[in-house]
Amino acid sequence: MMFYDIKKILYVSDLEQGSRPAFRAAISLCGHYSEAQITYLHVIESLSGTTRSVLSNMMEKEELDNLLQKGVEALSVKIRERIERFCEQELEEHEVLSLKNIEARIEEGTPWRRILEVGDEINADVIVMGTRKHNALGQALMGSTATKALTHSKRPVLVVPLGVA
């Protein structure tokens, strides 16, 4: 696969501060193709059985589902605002990518599995994700999500180093 053939990019975000370099990398891969499409994905870790059971003792199932749904809707708004802000601040006028080229998605599940499933579903040409240094010594250890996605993916994965978490 040649990078100039990239039409579909799956960009994975943890929504933490400092993840912009990875988004910038995803956008630069688009080059000057107006038909290039970025799917901006955020995966919410599923509630564990224990957490769900504790919560179900405190509220009705319907109430819990409504609460989770409201949370997902609020996150969708936050992601859309973040994308718009990025486009306003970072995209230069000659860059053809626009908001219509970016789709936001929020999924629930085991992050690395959902990333690969969405990659297959949209037939992504490449998956772009950041990874952070997770220890005080600053050793460049790849996060477990990035490592697992990289290990199990049948698609090219571009991992962008970010700051310390």
Side-chain angles (χ1 to χ4, degrees):
M1 183 191 89
M2 297 286 184
F3 273 122
Y4 57 78
D5 284 337
I6 290 177
K7 298 278 191 291
K8 289 186 179 174
I9 298 165
L10 176 59
Y11 167 68
V12 182
S13 176
D14 61 3
L15 299 180
E16 297 295 320
Q17 288 293 90
S19 54
R20 223 174 230 209
F23 193 41
R24 174 42 85 196
I27 285 179
S28 69
L29 281 177
C30 282
H32 295 281
Y33 289 101
S34 57
E35 68 272 19
Q37 199 63 38
I38 293 180
T39 299
Y40 188 117
L41 174 68
H42 177 67
V43 180
I44 301 168
E45 192 93 46
S46 299
L47 290 179
S48 70
T50 310
T51 306
R52 213 170 256 285
S53 108
V54 166
L55 288 172
S56 69
N57 288 335
M58 294 191 279
M59 58 179 74
E60 297 295 321
K61 183 189 181 312
E62 195 176 311
E63 199 180 352
L64 178 59
D65 290 344
N66 284 342
L67 195 64
L68 291 173
Q69 184 57 40
K70 280 195 182 108
V72 168
E73 286 165 11
L75 260 182
S76 296
V77 170
K78 181 180 177 181
I79 288 171
R80 179 53 53 185
E81 286 169 355
R82 181 173 284 206
I83 293 169
E84 286 171 10
R85 200 164 43 246
F86 178 89
C87 289
E88 281 167 18
Q89 293 170 0
E90 298 261 342
L91 292 187
E92 291 163 26
E93 284 176 30
H94 70 275
E95 292 184 279
V96 293
L97 189 76
S98 68
L99 290 172
K100 67 177 171 45
N101 298 77
I102 306 172
E103 178 205 359
R105 278 182 71 163
I106 296 175
E107 299 285 334
E108 186 186 344
T110 305
W112 72 269
R113 286 183 203 273
R114 288 303 298 139
I115 291 164
L116 299 184
E117 288 164 3
V118 171
D120 288 344
E121 192 183 306
I122 68 168
N123 196 22
D125 295 310
V126 64
I127 297 169
V128 179
M129 59 196 308
T131 188
R132 298 173 193 281
K133 295 173 184 170
H134 284 280
N135 64 0
L137 299 174
Q139 290 172 312
L141 296 173
M142 259 204 309
S144 61
T145 299
T147 303
K148 285 181 179 152
L150 200 54
T151 307
H152 297 279
S153 181
K154 294 177 191 75
R155 301 172 185 284
V157 179
L158 173 60
V159 178
V160 179
L162 304 173
V164 177

